[in-house]
Structure formats: structure tokens, C-alpha cells
Amino acid sequence: MWEPMTRRLGPGWLVALCALVISASAWMPWLTTAVNGGGWANAIGGAHGSLHLPPGFGAGQLIVLLSSALLVAGAMVGRGLSVKLASVAALIISLMLVGLTAWYYQLNVNPPVSAEYGLYVGAIAALCAAACSLVAVVAAASGGRAQ
């Protein structure tokens, strides 16, 4: 008899998905302004128009770097590789991403510069990653295999 292969999407894979969304959101506009003809900037430092970010490695680039590490940690939990360690790492990294996103907002969003949709997408994805990571930690600590 044929049985359909079904798998549920566990918290580890949801963490990986959130990390992918955070990484993709870094390319979306995070900041915008209407001064001097307007302009926008994304988290990785790309800017268009009259909005310019300071040069060098900053919070936006660190967000992208940590989202890659979060993707790996989430996939490790999803595949069942070092579940306890990977779920704790995912929780720590996701909380760091939430903090970095708040710091990015605090540093860069001041009149006449306002937040754009990419910042909100990244922040919501970071919060979702933290929640899913917490579920994965609880599942791993209770002896269940959080996938």
C-alpha cells in the first residue's frame, strides 16, 4: 500500500526560513527620506538618491552575517544535528538579530530619515526566529527532537 510522505515543518526549519527572510530583507529599502529629491538605503549599505550611510562595516552588514549563521543553526536543528547546541545557538543569534535591528533603527531613523518596509520585514522575521528558536530549545530540552 502506498502512503504519502508527509512531514511537518518544525521549529528548526521555521528558524531557517526566518533567517532567509532576514537576509532577503537586507536588500530591501530600510531607510527613506524626502529631502533634496528623496532617496533610500538598504541594510547592507546600498543607497540611492540623497540618502547616504557612513562607510564601513556596520549594523546592517552584521545583520546579514548573523542571518547566515542563523540559517545554518536552524537547518542543523531541522536535520537533527546537535539539536540542543544548535537550538541554543539559534536562540542566541536570533536575539542578537533583534537587538541589532533595534540598534539600527535607533542609529539611523531620525527626522528627516524614516523607516521603510525592509526594516519592518527584517524586524518581524527576527522576532519570529526568536520565537521559533525558543520553541526549538524547549523541545530539545524536554527530550523531544525539534525538527
Side-chain angles (χ1 to χ4, degrees):
M1 178 169 192
W2 179 79
E3 289 185 35
M5 189 169 141
T6 59
R7 295 185 68 168
R8 68 180 186 90
L9 194 59
W13 291 115
L14 291 174
V15 169
L17 177 64
C18 290
L20 188 63
V21 171
I22 294 167
S23 184
S25 77
W27 294 89
M28 299 174 189
W30 278 40
L31 303 171
T32 188
T33 186
V35 175
N36 294 333
W40 57 265
N42 59 24
I44 57 171
H48 177 72
S50 65
L51 188 59
H52 298 286
L53 295 175
F57 193 83
Q61 290 88 355
L62 189 55
I63 288 170
V64 173
L65 184 66
L66 286 176
S67 69
S68 299
L70 183 62
L71 177 66
V72 171
M76 285 179 66
V77 174
R79 292 291 298 163
L81 304 171
S82 302
V83 176
K84 289 181 183 178
L85 179 65
S87 62
V88 170
L91 180 62
I92 291 169
I93 294 168
S94 62
L95 291 175
M96 288 173 64
L97 283 167
V98 169
L100 275 170
T101 305
W103 185 45
Y104 186 93
Y105 182 89
Q106 185 180 18
L107 284 175
N108 296 310
V109 178
N110 297 307
V113 177
S114 60
E116 190 61 63
Y117 67 92
L119 179 62
Y120 298 117
V121 169
I124 290 169
L127 288 170
C128 289
C132 292
S133 301
L134 185 60
V135 170
V137 167
V138 168
S142 68
R145 186 172 160 220
Q147 294 182 354

